[in-house]
PDB file of all heavy atoms in Angstrom:
ATOM      1  N   ALA A 303      -4.136  -2.300 -11.803  1.00 98.00           N
ATOM      2  CA  ALA A 303      -2.944  -3.145 -11.690  1.00 98.00           C
ATOM      3  C   ALA A 303      -3.256  -4.457 -10.986  1.00 98.00           C
ATOM      4  O   ALA A 303      -2.809  -5.533 -11.403  1.00 98.00           O
ATOM      5  CB  ALA A 303      -1.842  -2.393 -10.959  1.00 98.00           C
ATOM      6  N   LEU A 304      -4.038  -4.385  -9.910  1.00 97.00           N
ATOM      7  CA  LEU A 304      -4.369  -5.608  -9.170  1.00 97.00           C
ATOM      8  C   LEU A 304      -5.243  -6.549  -9.990  1.00 97.00           C
ATOM      9  O   LEU A 304      -5.112  -7.768  -9.893  1.00 97.00           O
ATOM     10  CB  LEU A 304      -5.067  -5.247  -7.857  1.00 97.00           C
ATOM     11  CG  LEU A 304      -4.195  -4.559  -6.803  1.00 97.00           C
ATOM     12  CD1 LEU A 304      -5.037  -4.132  -5.606  1.00 97.00           C
ATOM     13  CD2 LEU A 304      -3.057  -5.472  -6.347  1.00 97.00           C
ATOM     14  N   GLU A 305      -6.108  -5.986 -10.813  1.00 97.00           N
ATOM     15  CA  GLU A 305      -7.017  -6.803 -11.615  1.00 97.00           C
ATOM     16  C   GLU A 305      -6.355  -7.358 -12.873  1.00 97.00           C
ATOM     17  O   GLU A 305      -6.599  -8.504 -13.261  1.00 97.00           O
ATOM     18  CB  GLU A 305      -8.242  -5.985 -12.011  1.00 97.00           C
ATOM     19  CG  GLU A 305      -9.167  -5.644 -10.853  1.00 97.00           C
ATOM     20  CD  GLU A 305     -10.251  -4.668 -11.253  1.00 97.00           C
ATOM     21  OE1 GLU A 305     -10.365  -4.353 -12.461  1.00 97.00           O
ATOM     22  OE2 GLU A 305     -10.996  -4.208 -10.361  1.00 97.00           O
ATOM     23  N   ARG A 306      -5.499  -6.565 -13.508  1.00 97.00           N
ATOM     24  CA  ARG A 306      -5.027  -6.906 -14.849  1.00 97.00           C
ATOM     25  C   ARG A 306      -3.570  -7.339 -14.912  1.00 97.00           C
ATOM     26  O   ARG A 306      -3.119  -7.860 -15.932  1.00 97.00           O
ATOM     27  CB  ARG A 306      -5.255  -5.700 -15.769  1.00 97.00           C
ATOM     28  CG  ARG A 306      -6.730  -5.302 -15.846  1.00 97.00           C
ATOM     29  CD  ARG A 306      -6.927  -3.929 -16.471  1.00 97.00           C
ATOM     30  NE  ARG A 306      -6.518  -3.892 -17.855  1.00 97.00           N
ATOM     31  CZ  ARG A 306      -6.440  -2.772 -18.582  1.00 97.00           C
ATOM     32  NH1 ARG A 306      -6.696  -1.594 -18.011  1.00 97.00           N
ATOM     33  NH2 ARG A 306      -6.069  -2.821 -19.844  1.00 97.00           N
ATOM     34  N   LEU A 307      -2.806  -7.099 -13.856  1.00 98.00           N
ATOM     35  CA  LEU A 307      -1.393  -7.475 -13.830  1.00 98.00           C
ATOM     36  C   LEU A 307      -1.174  -8.404 -12.651  1.00 98.00           C
ATOM     37  O   LEU A 307      -0.650  -8.014 -11.600  1.00 98.00           O
ATOM     38  CB  LEU A 307      -0.511  -6.225 -13.740  1.00 98.00           C
ATOM     39  CG  LEU A 307      -0.636  -5.265 -14.925  1.00 98.00           C
ATOM     40  CD1 LEU A 307       0.008  -3.922 -14.609  1.00 98.00           C
ATOM     41  CD2 LEU A 307      -0.035  -5.859 -16.183  1.00 98.00           C
ATOM     42  N   GLN A 308      -1.558  -9.642 -12.825  1.00 94.00           N
ATOM     43  CA  GLN A 308      -1.657 -10.591 -11.720  1.00 94.00           C
ATOM     44  C   GLN A 308      -0.313 -10.973 -11.101  1.00 94.00           C
ATOM     45  O   GLN A 308      -0.265 -11.471  -9.970  1.00 94.00           O
ATOM     46  CB  GLN A 308      -2.362 -11.869 -12.203  1.00 94.00           C
ATOM     47  CG  GLN A 308      -3.800 -11.653 -12.648  1.00 94.00           C
ATOM     48  CD  GLN A 308      -4.706 -11.280 -11.496  1.00 94.00           C
ATOM     49  OE1 GLN A 308      -4.587 -11.824 -10.398  1.00 94.00           O
ATOM     50  NE2 GLN A 308      -5.620 -10.354 -11.718  1.00 94.00           N
ATOM     51  N   LYS A 309       0.792 -10.737 -11.806  1.00 95.00           N
ATOM     52  CA  LYS A 309       2.099 -11.111 -11.282  1.00 95.00           C
ATOM     53  C   LYS A 309       2.793  -9.969 -10.534  1.00 95.00           C
ATOM     54  O   LYS A 309       3.847 -10.178  -9.940  1.00 95.00           O
ATOM     55  CB  LYS A 309       2.994 -11.605 -12.425  1.00 95.00           C
ATOM     56  CG  LYS A 309       2.498 -12.889 -13.078  1.00 95.00           C
ATOM     57  CD  LYS A 309       3.453 -13.349 -14.168  1.00 95.00           C
ATOM     58  CE  LYS A 309       2.976 -14.637 -14.819  1.00 95.00           C
ATOM     59  NZ  LYS A 309       3.898 -15.098 -15.896  1.00 95.00           N
ATOM     60  N   SER A 310       2.203  -8.793 -10.577  1.00 97.00           N
ATOM     61  CA  SER A 310       2.844  -7.623  -9.984  1.00 97.00           C
ATOM     62  C   SER A 310       2.301  -7.319  -8.597  1.00 97.00           C
ATOM     63  O   SER A 310       1.122  -7.522  -8.322  1.00 97.00           O
ATOM     64  CB  SER A 310       2.623  -6.388 -10.875  1.00 97.00           C
ATOM     65  OG  SER A 310       3.198  -6.570 -12.147  1.00 97.00           O
ATOM     66  N   PHE A 311       3.172  -6.814  -7.735  1.00 98.00           N
ATOM     67  CA  PHE A 311       2.769  -6.269  -6.449  1.00 98.00           C
ATOM     68  C   PHE A 311       2.541  -4.771  -6.620  1.00 98.00           C
ATOM     69  O   PHE A 311       3.147  -4.132  -7.490  1.00 98.00           O
ATOM     70  CB  PHE A 311       3.856  -6.503  -5.400  1.00 98.00           C
ATOM     71  CG  PHE A 311       3.978  -7.936  -4.960  1.00 98.00           C
ATOM     72  CD1 PHE A 311       4.662  -8.865  -5.731  1.00 98.00           C
ATOM     73  CD2 PHE A 311       3.398  -8.352  -3.769  1.00 98.00           C
ATOM     74  CE1 PHE A 311       4.776 -10.185  -5.333  1.00 98.00           C
ATOM     75  CE2 PHE A 311       3.505  -9.673  -3.349  1.00 98.00           C
ATOM     76  CZ  PHE A 311       4.185 -10.593  -4.142  1.00 98.00           C
ATOM     77  N   VAL A 312       1.686  -4.206  -5.770  1.00 98.00           N
ATOM     78  CA  VAL A 312       1.398  -2.776  -5.821  1.00 98.00           C
ATOM     79  C   VAL A 312       1.655  -2.185  -4.435  1.00 98.00           C
ATOM     80  O   VAL A 312       1.152  -2.693  -3.431  1.00 98.00           O
ATOM     81  CB  VAL A 312      -0.054  -2.496  -6.243  1.00 98.00           C
ATOM     82  CG1 VAL A 312      -0.327  -0.996  -6.251  1.00 98.00           C
ATOM     83  CG2 VAL A 312      -0.344  -3.108  -7.618  1.00 98.00           C
ATOM     84  N   VAL A 313       2.446  -1.106  -4.401  1.00 98.00           N
ATOM     85  CA  VAL A 313       2.714  -0.376  -3.162  1.00 98.00           C
ATOM     86  C   VAL A 313       2.236   1.053  -3.373  1.00 98.00           C
ATOM     87  O   VAL A 313       2.669   1.732  -4.307  1.00 98.00           O
ATOM     88  CB  VAL A 313       4.212  -0.398  -2.805  1.00 98.00           C
ATOM     89  CG1 VAL A 313       4.469   0.415  -1.545  1.00 98.00           C
ATOM     90  CG2 VAL A 313       4.690  -1.838  -2.617  1.00 98.00           C
ATOM     91  N   SER A 314       1.332   1.505  -2.502  1.00 97.00           N
ATOM     92  CA  SER A 314       0.684   2.800  -2.681  1.00 97.00           C
ATOM     93  C   SER A 314       0.877   3.676  -1.458  1.00 97.00           C
ATOM     94  O   SER A 314       1.133   3.177  -0.352  1.00 97.00           O
ATOM     95  CB  SER A 314      -0.816   2.569  -2.936  1.00 97.00           C
ATOM     96  OG  SER A 314      -1.514   3.793  -3.092  1.00 97.00           O
ATOM     97  N   GLY A 315       0.750   4.997  -1.648  1.00 94.00           N
ATOM     98  CA  GLY A 315       0.859   5.936  -0.541  1.00 94.00           C
ATOM     99  C   GLY A 315      -0.444   6.696  -0.337  1.00 94.00           C
ATOM    100  O   GLY A 315      -1.078   7.111  -1.308  1.00 94.00           O
ATOM    101  N   SER A 316      -0.830   6.886   0.918  1.00 89.00           N
ATOM    102  CA  SER A 316      -2.055   7.627   1.222  1.00 89.00           C
ATOM    103  C   SER A 316      -1.960   8.259   2.603  1.00 89.00           C
ATOM    104  O   SER A 316      -1.899   7.560   3.612  1.00 89.00           O
ATOM    105  CB  SER A 316      -3.268   6.686   1.170  1.00 89.00           C
ATOM    106  OG  SER A 316      -4.447   7.378   1.527  1.00 89.00           O
ATOM    107  N   GLY A 317      -1.941   9.596   2.647  1.00 79.00           N
ATOM    108  CA  GLY A 317      -1.935  10.292   3.915  1.00 79.00           C
ATOM    109  C   GLY A 317      -0.546  10.599   4.423  1.00 79.00           C
ATOM    110  O   GLY A 317       0.096   9.753   5.044  1.00 79.00           O
ATOM    111  N   MET A 318      -0.068  11.833   4.138  1.00 78.00           N
ATOM    112  CA  MET A 318       1.256  12.243   4.627  1.00 78.00           C
ATOM    113  C   MET A 318       1.316  13.752   4.805  1.00 78.00           C
ATOM    114  O   MET A 318       2.375  14.328   4.989  1.00 78.00           O
ATOM    115  CB  MET A 318       2.343  11.799   3.653  1.00 78.00           C
ATOM    116  CG  MET A 318       2.276  12.522   2.319  1.00 78.00           C
ATOM    117  SD  MET A 318       2.712  11.530   0.903  1.00 78.00           S
ATOM    118  CE  MET A 318       1.284  10.479   0.748  1.00 78.00           C
ATOM    119  N   ALA A 319       0.148  14.419   4.737  1.00 80.00           N
ATOM    120  CA  ALA A 319       0.113  15.874   4.800  1.00 80.00           C
ATOM    121  C   ALA A 319       0.266  16.379   6.231  1.00 80.00           C
ATOM    122  O   ALA A 319       0.066  15.645   7.201  1.00 80.00           O
ATOM    123  CB  ALA A 319      -1.203  16.382   4.210  1.00 80.00           C
ATOM    124  N   GLY A 320       0.614  17.654   6.343  1.00 75.00           N
ATOM    125  CA  GLY A 320       0.637  18.317   7.634  1.00 75.00           C
ATOM    126  C   GLY A 320       1.877  18.055   8.467  1.00 75.00           C
ATOM    127  O   GLY A 320       2.905  17.593   7.976  1.00 75.00           O
ATOM    128  N   MET A 321       1.741  18.342   9.740  1.00 79.00           N
ATOM    129  CA  MET A 321       2.859  18.258  10.696  1.00 79.00           C
ATOM    130  C   MET A 321       2.582  17.226  11.783  1.00 79.00           C
ATOM    131  O   MET A 321       3.051  17.340  12.914  1.00 79.00           O
ATOM    132  CB  MET A 321       3.088  19.631  11.343  1.00 79.00           C
ATOM    133  CG  MET A 321       3.608  20.680  10.385  1.00 79.00           C
ATOM    134  SD  MET A 321       5.376  20.521  10.068  1.00 79.00           S
ATOM    135  CE  MET A 321       6.035  21.076  11.634  1.00 79.00           C
ATOM    136  N   GLY A 322       1.793  16.217  11.453  1.00 81.00           N
ATOM    137  CA  GLY A 322       1.459  15.183  12.429  1.00 81.00           C
ATOM    138  C   GLY A 322       2.669  14.367  12.836  1.00 81.00           C
ATOM    139  O   GLY A 322       3.747  14.443  12.234  1.00 81.00           O
ATOM    140  N   SER A 323       2.488  13.567  13.859  1.00 87.00           N
ATOM    141  CA  SER A 323       3.577  12.741  14.375  1.00 87.00           C
ATOM    142  C   SER A 323       4.153  11.842  13.293  1.00 87.00           C
ATOM    143  O   SER A 323       3.406  11.230  12.521  1.00 87.00           O
ATOM    144  CB  SER A 323       3.061  11.865  15.520  1.00 87.00           C
ATOM    145  OG  SER A 323       4.022  10.884  15.863  1.00 87.00           O
ATOM    146  N   PRO A 324       5.467  11.726  13.232  1.00 85.00           N
ATOM    147  CA  PRO A 324       6.068  10.809  12.261  1.00 85.00           C
ATOM    148  C   PRO A 324       5.670   9.362  12.524  1.00 85.00           C
ATOM    149  O   PRO A 324       5.663   8.545  11.611  1.00 85.00           O
ATOM    150  CB  PRO A 324       7.573  11.017  12.451  1.00 85.00           C
ATOM    151  CG  PRO A 324       7.718  11.601  13.817  1.00 85.00           C
ATOM    152  CD  PRO A 324       6.494  12.433  14.027  1.00 85.00           C
ATOM    153  N   ASN A 325       5.308   9.071  13.756  1.00 90.00           N
ATOM    154  CA  ASN A 325       4.945   7.699  14.102  1.00 90.00           C
ATOM    155  C   ASN A 325       3.580   7.284  13.559  1.00 90.00           C
ATOM    156  O   ASN A 325       3.216   6.114  13.650  1.00 90.00           O
ATOM    157  CB  ASN A 325       4.969   7.525  15.621  1.00 90.00           C
ATOM    158  CG  ASN A 325       6.362   7.708  16.191  1.00 90.00           C
ATOM    159  OD1 ASN A 325       7.349   7.368  15.564  1.00 90.00           O
ATOM    160  ND2 ASN A 325       6.447   8.283  17.378  1.00 90.00           N
ATOM    161  N   SER A 326       2.827   8.245  13.022  1.00 90.00           N
ATOM    162  CA  SER A 326       1.541   7.899  12.429  1.00 90.00           C
ATOM    163  C   SER A 326       1.684   7.347  11.016  1.00 90.00           C
ATOM    164  O   SER A 326       0.737   6.793  10.462  1.00 90.00           O
ATOM    165  CB  SER A 326       0.609   9.114  12.427  1.00 90.00           C
ATOM    166  OG  SER A 326       1.112  10.132  11.575  1.00 90.00           O
ATOM    167  N   ILE A 327       2.863   7.510  10.409  1.00 92.00           N
ATOM    168  CA  ILE A 327       3.121   6.930   9.085  1.00 92.00           C
ATOM    169  C   ILE A 327       3.440   5.456   9.267  1.00 92.00           C
ATOM    170  O   ILE A 327       4.402   5.096   9.933  1.00 92.00           O
ATOM    171  CB  ILE A 327       4.300   7.632   8.375  1.00 92.00           C
ATOM    172  CG1 ILE A 327       4.048   9.142   8.268  1.00 92.00           C
ATOM    173  CG2 ILE A 327       4.539   7.021   7.002  1.00 92.00           C
ATOM    174  CD1 ILE A 327       2.954   9.545   7.330  1.00 92.00           C
ATOM    175  N   LYS A 328       2.626   4.618   8.673  1.00 94.00           N
ATOM    176  CA  LYS A 328       2.785   3.168   8.835  1.00 94.00           C
ATOM    177  C   LYS A 328       2.585   2.458   7.503  1.00 94.00           C
ATOM    178  O   LYS A 328       2.103   3.049   6.539  1.00 94.00           O
ATOM    179  CB  LYS A 328       1.774   2.632   9.862  1.00 94.00           C
ATOM    180  CG  LYS A 328       1.899   3.252  11.251  1.00 94.00           C
ATOM    181  CD  LYS A 328       0.910   2.666  12.219  1.00 94.00           C
ATOM    182  CE  LYS A 328       0.985   3.342  13.588  1.00 94.00           C
ATOM    183  NZ  LYS A 328       2.317   3.217  14.196  1.00 94.00           N
ATOM    184  N   THR A 329       2.958   1.188   7.465  1.00 96.00           N
ATOM    185  CA  THR A 329       2.744   0.343   6.289  1.00 96.00           C
ATOM    186  C   THR A 329       1.749  -0.748   6.642  1.00 96.00           C
ATOM    187  O   THR A 329       1.907  -1.432   7.654  1.00 96.00           O
ATOM    188  CB  THR A 329       4.062  -0.296   5.823  1.00 96.00           C
ATOM    189  OG1 THR A 329       4.967   0.742   5.424  1.00 96.00           O
ATOM    190  CG2 THR A 329       3.820  -1.224   4.633  1.00 96.00           C
ATOM    191  N   LYS A 330       0.748  -0.896   5.802  1.00 95.00           N
ATOM    192  CA  LYS A 330      -0.307  -1.890   6.020  1.00 95.00           C
ATOM    193  C   LYS A 330      -0.386  -2.833   4.824  1.00 95.00           C
ATOM    194  O   LYS A 330      -0.444  -2.396   3.683  1.00 95.00           O
ATOM    195  CB  LYS A 330      -1.652  -1.205   6.223  1.00 95.00           C
ATOM    196  CG  LYS A 330      -2.813  -2.161   6.439  1.00 95.00           C
ATOM    197  CD  LYS A 330      -4.117  -1.386   6.601  1.00 95.00           C
ATOM    198  CE  LYS A 330      -5.298  -2.328   6.782  1.00 95.00           C
ATOM    199  NZ  LYS A 330      -6.582  -1.572   6.910  1.00 95.00           N
ATOM    200  N   LYS A 331      -0.363  -4.126   5.088  1.00 96.00           N
ATOM    201  CA  LYS A 331      -0.584  -5.115   4.039  1.00 96.00           C
ATOM    202  C   LYS A 331      -2.083  -5.296   3.884  1.00 96.00           C
ATOM    203  O   LYS A 331      -2.754  -5.830   4.766  1.00 96.00           O
ATOM    204  CB  LYS A 331       0.085  -6.445   4.404  1.00 96.00           C
ATOM    205  CG  LYS A 331      -0.056  -7.510   3.321  1.00 96.00           C
ATOM    206  CD  LYS A 331       0.665  -8.788   3.726  1.00 96.00           C
ATOM    207  CE  LYS A 331       0.567  -9.840   2.632  1.00 96.00           C
ATOM    208  NZ  LYS A 331       1.291 -11.083   3.015  1.00 96.00           N
ATOM    209  N   VAL A 332      -2.634  -4.840   2.760  1.00 96.00           N
ATOM    210  CA  VAL A 332      -4.074  -4.875   2.541  1.00 96.00           C
ATOM    211  C   VAL A 332      -4.502  -6.229   1.985  1.00 96.00           C
ATOM    212  O   VAL A 332      -5.459  -6.839   2.463  1.00 96.00           O
ATOM    213  CB  VAL A 332      -4.508  -3.738   1.592  1.00 96.00           C
ATOM    214  CG1 VAL A 332      -6.021  -3.753   1.387  1.00 96.00           C
ATOM    215  CG2 VAL A 332      -4.054  -2.381   2.148  1.00 96.00           C
ATOM    216  N   THR A 333      -3.787  -6.693   0.963  1.00 96.00           N
ATOM    217  CA  THR A 333      -3.989  -8.031   0.406  1.00 96.00           C
ATOM    218  C   THR A 333      -2.617  -8.628   0.138  1.00 96.00           C
ATOM    219  O   THR A 333      -1.594  -7.970   0.370  1.00 96.00           O
ATOM    220  CB  THR A 333      -4.804  -8.002  -0.908  1.00 96.00           C
ATOM    221  OG1 THR A 333      -4.010  -7.369  -1.940  1.00 96.00           O
ATOM    222  CG2 THR A 333      -6.104  -7.226  -0.740  1.00 96.00           C
ATOM    223  N   ARG A 334      -2.562  -9.813  -0.380  1.00 95.00           N
ATOM    224  CA  ARG A 334      -1.271 -10.470  -0.628  1.00 95.00           C
ATOM    225  C   ARG A 334      -0.379  -9.647  -1.541  1.00 95.00           C
ATOM    226  O   ARG A 334       0.847  -9.639  -1.384  1.00 95.00           O
ATOM    227  CB  ARG A 334      -1.502 -11.856  -1.250  1.00 95.00           C
ATOM    228  CG  ARG A 334      -0.214 -12.665  -1.421  1.00 95.00           C
ATOM    229  CD  ARG A 334      -0.477 -13.998  -2.091  1.00 95.00           C
ATOM    230  NE  ARG A 334      -0.863 -13.842  -3.478  1.00 95.00           N
ATOM    231  CZ  ARG A 334       0.024 -13.683  -4.485  1.00 95.00           C
ATOM    232  NH1 ARG A 334       1.318 -13.647  -4.253  1.00 95.00           N
ATOM    233  NH2 ARG A 334      -0.404 -13.552  -5.722  1.00 95.00           N
ATOM    234  N   ARG A 335      -0.976  -8.916  -2.478  1.00 96.00           N
ATOM    235  CA  ARG A 335      -0.200  -8.183  -3.476  1.00 96.00           C
ATOM    236  C   ARG A 335      -0.321  -6.664  -3.344  1.00 96.00           C
ATOM    237  O   ARG A 335       0.173  -5.937  -4.209  1.00 96.00           O
ATOM    238  CB  ARG A 335      -0.646  -8.601  -4.888  1.00 96.00           C
ATOM    239  CG  ARG A 335      -0.336 -10.052  -5.227  1.00 96.00           C
ATOM    240  CD  ARG A 335      -1.008 -10.486  -6.543  1.00 96.00           C
ATOM    241  NE  ARG A 335      -0.918  -9.492  -7.582  1.00 96.00           N
ATOM    242  CZ  ARG A 335      -1.972  -8.965  -8.219  1.00 96.00           C
ATOM    243  NH1 ARG A 335      -3.208  -9.358  -7.936  1.00 96.00           N
ATOM    244  NH2 ARG A 335      -1.800  -8.047  -9.155  1.00 96.00           N
ATOM    245  N   PHE A 336      -0.955  -6.179  -2.296  1.00 97.00           N
ATOM    246  CA  PHE A 336      -1.190  -4.741  -2.181  1.00 97.00           C
ATOM    247  C   PHE A 336      -0.822  -4.225  -0.796  1.00 97.00           C
ATOM    248  O   PHE A 336      -1.319  -4.713   0.213  1.00 97.00           O
ATOM    249  CB  PHE A 336      -2.665  -4.434  -2.475  1.00 97.00           C
ATOM    250  CG  PHE A 336      -3.040  -2.985  -2.333  1.00 97.00           C
ATOM    251  CD1 PHE A 336      -2.197  -1.975  -2.764  1.00 97.00           C
ATOM    252  CD2 PHE A 336      -4.253  -2.641  -1.753  1.00 97.00           C
ATOM    253  CE1 PHE A 336      -2.546  -0.636  -2.626  1.00 97.00           C
ATOM    254  CE2 PHE A 336      -4.614  -1.303  -1.605  1.00 97.00           C
ATOM    255  CZ  PHE A 336      -3.765  -0.305  -2.052  1.00 97.00           C
ATOM    256  N   TYR A 337       0.089  -3.236  -0.769  1.00 97.00           N
ATOM    257  CA  TYR A 337       0.547  -2.606   0.464  1.00 97.00           C
ATOM    258  C   TYR A 337       0.234  -1.114   0.413  1.00 97.00           C
ATOM    259  O   TYR A 337       0.400  -0.470  -0.630  1.00 97.00           O
ATOM    260  CB  TYR A 337       2.051  -2.795   0.627  1.00 97.00           C
ATOM    261  CG  TYR A 337       2.477  -4.218   0.888  1.00 97.00           C
ATOM    262  CD1 TYR A 337       2.486  -5.171  -0.132  1.00 97.00           C
ATOM    263  CD2 TYR A 337       2.889  -4.621   2.147  1.00 97.00           C
ATOM    264  CE1 TYR A 337       2.887  -6.480   0.097  1.00 97.00           C
ATOM    265  CE2 TYR A 337       3.296  -5.928   2.392  1.00 97.00           C
ATOM    266  CZ  TYR A 337       3.285  -6.842   1.361  1.00 97.00           C
ATOM    267  OH  TYR A 337       3.683  -8.144   1.596  1.00 97.00           O
ATOM    268  N   LEU A 338      -0.191  -0.558   1.552  1.00 96.00           N
ATOM    269  CA  LEU A 338      -0.549   0.848   1.641  1.00 96.00           C
ATOM    270  C   LEU A 338       0.300   1.514   2.717  1.00 96.00           C
ATOM    271  O   LEU A 338       0.344   1.056   3.868  1.00 96.00           O
ATOM    272  CB  LEU A 338      -2.033   0.981   1.977  1.00 96.00           C
ATOM    273  CG  LEU A 338      -2.639   2.386   1.933  1.00 96.00           C
ATOM    274  CD1 LEU A 338      -2.509   2.992   0.537  1.00 96.00           C
ATOM    275  CD2 LEU A 338      -4.108   2.333   2.354  1.00 96.00           C
ATOM    276  N   CYS A 339       0.970   2.607   2.351  1.00 96.00           N
ATOM    277  CA  CYS A 339       1.852   3.333   3.267  1.00 96.00           C
ATOM    278  C   CYS A 339       1.305   4.740   3.514  1.00 96.00           C
ATOM    279  O   CYS A 339       0.803   5.383   2.596  1.00 96.00           O
ATOM    280  CB  CYS A 339       3.256   3.439   2.687  1.00 96.00           C
ATOM    281  SG  CYS A 339       4.012   1.859   2.226  1.00 96.00           S
ATOM    282  N   GLY A 340       1.408   5.211   4.755  1.00 92.00           N
ATOM    283  CA  GLY A 340       0.943   6.539   5.113  1.00 92.00           C
ATOM    284  C   GLY A 340       0.143   6.497   6.387  1.00 92.00           C
ATOM    285  O   GLY A 340       0.118   5.481   7.088  1.00 92.00           O
ATOM    286  N   ASP A 341      -0.534   7.618   6.712  1.00 88.00           N
ATOM    287  CA  ASP A 341      -1.396   7.602   7.895  1.00 88.00           C
ATOM    288  C   ASP A 341      -2.844   7.296   7.536  1.00 88.00           C
ATOM    289  O   ASP A 341      -3.687   7.119   8.406  1.00 88.00           O
ATOM    290  CB  ASP A 341      -1.287   8.913   8.681  1.00 88.00           C
ATOM    291  CG  ASP A 341      -1.755  10.131   7.890  1.00 88.00           C
ATOM    292  OD1 ASP A 341      -2.592   9.996   6.983  1.00 88.00           O
ATOM    293  OD2 ASP A 341      -1.291  11.252   8.196  1.00 88.00           O
TER     294      ASP A 341
END
């Protein structure tokens, strides 16, 4: 998507398993068009 769909933003999830603290789930802006959510 980032390579071939230049007008689109991408929001992805990574890391949400288990019973860890809810405060460990965060959102990170990786690049201008790519955001990563999770721990």
Side-chain angles (χ1 to χ4, degrees):
L304 291 174
E305 291 172 7
R306 301 166 65 188
L307 298 167
Q308 297 292 320
K309 295 182 179 180
S310 298
F311 288 80
V312 179
V313 178
S314 179
S316 177
M318 67 216 73
M321 292 281 288
S323 169
N325 296 326
S326 66
I327 304 291
K328 301 181 183 301
T329 297
K330 179 181 178 181
K331 182 178 182 179
V332 181
T333 68
R334 185 182 69 83
R335 294 170 42 237
F336 178 40
Y337 292 75
L338 188 60
C339 305
D341 63 26

